[in-house]
Amino acid sequence: MKKTLTLAILMLTLLTALPVTAKKKQQTPQTDREYWAALAYQMAQPVLEPMAKGELQQVMKTEFSPSFDNRNRKVVYMETFGRLMAGIAPWLTLPDDDTTEGRQRQQLRQWALAAYRNSVDPQSPDYLCWGVAGQNLVDAAYIAESFLRAYDQLWIPLDETTKQRYIGEFQKLRRIDPPYTNWLLFSSTIESFIAKANGRRGYDEYRVNSAIRKMEEWYVGDGWYSDGPAFAFNYYSSYVFHAMYLETLQAMTDAKVNSRLDYPKYYARELKRAQKYSIILERFISPEGTFPVFGRSIPYRLAALQPLALMAWYQALPKELSNGQVRAALTKVMHRMFDAGTNFNDAGYLTIGFCGSQPDVADWYTNNGSLYMTSLCFMPLGLPASHPFWTAEAEPWTQVKAWNGKPFPKDHQWKDDIQTKDKF
């Protein structure tokens, strides 16, 4: 017994004396990109895997605002799918590779293509509730936006029957009269997509051009848009205005539509506005990775930072913002918001709240499908891993510099310097 005990003590002493690397292999720290990709996959897999099989409406654990209105509650599935796809579409444009991320990305794309087919197939259990509520205009626009963001990878591969079903469903939504707000851009996004995808046939030019003219009337300066005739201090310049305005203009340019409006000039001016607004958003991010919580629809979480992510994906960050500081700032926010693991319910779907389950911050139109807007911040995953956005050294962002006594660029007003006149 004594010999056995002595031998055990000797072995323990030897193991303790060994270098740490011999006792346990050191784990390689997770890169920022690996963290983003893992979070995006965690969000997407519970939606796309069952929807590819026609089972999402059977298995999704849904949640509705305590003050939810009397609309058809099946809108939750269209909101979930459309908003998720708008956020991860850029990521799915990358070619396949044999990395863990590459295999997950390939799987998500395969599921997504099957889900797109099911969503417009009347025989599928996951046929979406097209046209049963005004809300459908909103989320059809996010589906159209996902096609615009990954046209070659998500639209072109679809079979002709599915494509024509989408065109038909989009056109039928014209019976929905959008309120006099950011909703005008939902119509313009859908119609400009039809113009691009359908060879300039069957789209409504007036719904596009009237929305563009109204955006110009509602621009209030320094990157901000008024959400309708009266200005409201909220994040709708983030959630809708900048991204869908740019994408409407780009789609009309791609479609080679010749109308009274000079779409490329409008695009160039709006891009500068989006760059200014992205500077503001970067300055909103505190040293701790938080940003101000204000306005309606705040459960959309990271969608408040969409234009900053969009400019990074477009490789159009203004000179005031480096790749390293933007990536570091966005990553810090993601860690601050998601690391506690409280933003998902026990079935893996997003839960209503901002940083955790906080149902009382919901608006009357909020369900947990609405919350997949948060995926809009993942757009830089559409840049390859070798891009400077991912390879540049992490840098302190503006508030880190400012609150630590370091030099930082002063802010200044931006004014439009591109004039637009009707061509005829």
Side-chain angles (χ1 to χ4, degrees):
M1 182 68 179
K2 289 183 178 180
K3 288 184 179 179
T4 304
L5 183 60
T6 303
L7 182 60
I9 294 172
L10 178 61
M11 290 298 295
L12 181 62
T13 303
L14 288 172
L15 285 171
T16 305
L18 287 174
V20 173
T21 53
K23 289 191 294 182
K24 183 177 179 180
K25 185 178 179 181
Q26 290 287 322
Q27 291 186 342
T28 304
Q30 189 180 41
T31 66
D32 288 348
R33 185 181 180 91
E34 287 170 342
Y35 175 78
W36 284 46
L39 183 57
Y41 188 83
Q42 179 185 3
M43 204 173 291
Q45 178 270 329
V47 176
L48 296 184
E49 183 175 9
M51 193 168 181
K53 304 172 186 175
E55 298 174 355
L56 178 66
Q57 297 185 36
Q58 176 185 339
V59 304
M60 181 176 175
K61 185 173 181 178
T62 59
E63 182 182 358
F64 295 84
S65 164
S67 59
F68 198 73
D69 64 5
N70 62 358
R71 75 185 71 181
N72 188 324
R73 291 196 170 206
K74 289 187 72 174
V75 297
V76 63
Y77 306 111
M78 194 171 192
E79 293 189 43
T80 301
F81 179 62
R83 297 172 187 218
L84 171 70
M85 290 311 305
I88 68 170
W91 188 30
L92 304 187
T93 64
L94 294 182
D96 297 333
D97 59 58
D98 198 35
T99 63
T100 299
E101 178 199 329
R103 290 188 294 272
Q104 290 183 333
R105 193 172 60 236
Q106 181 183 29
Q107 179 65 84
L108 289 176
R109 191 186 310 110
Q110 291 170 352
W111 286 335
L113 290 170
Y116 279 122
R117 289 191 290 271
N118 286 336
S119 72
V120 287
D121 181 357
Q123 304 306 312
S124 170
D126 274 341
Y127 176 67
L128 297 176
C129 58
W130 296 89
V132 304
Q135 180 64 36
N136 295 143
L137 179 66
V138 179
D139 298 298
Y142 284 105
I143 293 175
E145 184 177 50
S146 74
F147 288 142
L148 290 172
R149 290 178 173 180
Y151 191 80
D152 291 341
Q153 294 79 16
L154 297 180
W155 175 253
I156 294 299
L158 295 177
D159 61 273
E160 196 58 32
T161 297
T162 298
K163 289 179 180 177
Q164 289 310 307
R165 284 173 173 167
Y166 270 108
I167 298 297
E169 297 287 9
F170 286 151
Q171 290 172 330
K172 284 188 288 187
L173 291 171
R174 291 171 187 160
R175 64 176 177 264
I176 298 172
D177 181 25
Y180 205 47
T181 63
N182 65 89
W183 279 49
L184 298 182
L185 283 169
F186 300 138
S187 291
S188 73
T189 299
I190 291 170
E191 298 296 336
S192 63
F193 168 73
I194 295 174
K196 176 174 179 172
N198 211 35
R200 298 193 298 276
R201 299 187 310 275
Y203 79 100
D204 187 336
E205 186 174 289
Y206 180 75
R207 284 177 181 259
V208 176
N209 286 0
S210 61
I212 292 171
R213 294 186 190 280
K214 193 54 60 178
M215 294 310 106
E216 295 304 319
E217 290 180 24
W218 289 347
Y219 182 65
V220 296
D222 243 7
W224 290 87
Y225 284 92
S226 173
D227 190 11
F231 181 78
F233 191 52
N234 57 37
Y235 281 112
Y236 272 82
S237 288
S238 290
Y239 299 148
V240 181
F241 279 97
H242 285 294
M244 286 195 169
Y245 192 17
L246 281 169
E247 287 160 335
T248 292
L249 294 166
Q250 185 62 61
M252 295 300 281
T253 301
D254 292 346
K256 298 181 171 56
V257 172
N258 183 29
S259 78
R260 291 183 181 276
L261 303 189
D262 189 335
Y263 301 118
K265 273 193 174 181
Y266 277 90
Y267 181 93
R269 181 168 62 192
E270 163 52 23
L271 182 65
K272 288 189 173 185
R273 294 173 181 173
Q275 289 172 324
K276 167 58 181 178
Y277 188 71
S278 68
I279 290 174
I280 294 171
L281 291 176
E282 189 270 352
R283 286 174 178 255
F284 275 180
I285 300 173
S286 76
E288 297 77 29
T290 61
F291 60 87
V293 182
F294 61 83
R296 66 188 181 94
S297 299
I298 204 62
Y300 295 170
R301 294 181 171 100
L302 296 173
L305 304 175
Q306 179 186 197
L308 184 56
L310 185 71
M311 292 299 98
W313 178 46
Y314 280 3
Q315 303 180 71
L317 288 172
K319 66 181 188 309
E320 290 86 350
L321 302 178
S322 70
N323 282 301
Q325 77 184 88
V326 172
R327 188 191 76 245
L330 291 177
T331 303
K332 184 73 170 180
V333 175
M334 289 182 187
H335 279 293
R336 181 67 180 81
M337 182 171 282
F338 281 94
D339 282 2
T342 55
N343 289 324
F344 297 91
N345 63 32
D346 56 9
Y349 298 97
L350 288 171
T351 189
I352 293 176
F354 178 74
C355 190
S357 177
Q358 300 155 307
D360 289 340
V361 302
D363 296 282
W364 52 268
Y365 47 79
T366 307
N367 58 68
N368 65 329
S370 315
L371 315 182
Y372 284 83
M373 285 270 283
T374 194
S375 69
L376 298 174
C377 202
F378 291 137
M379 285 185 285
L381 283 171
L383 299 170
S386 59
H387 189 274
F389 182 83
W390 299 109
T391 61
E393 289 292 325
E395 298 176 32
W397 51 99
T398 302
Q399 297 299 334
V400 174
K401 295 173 184 175
W403 288 96
N404 284 279
K406 305 298 183 183
F408 66 97
K410 70 181 185 69
D411 197 17
H412 61 89
Q413 184 181 19
W414 280 34
K415 294 183 179 180
D416 288 336
D417 58 0
I418 298 174
Q419 300 301 313
T420 55
K421 296 181 180 180
D422 284 4
K423 294 190 293 183
F424 51 85

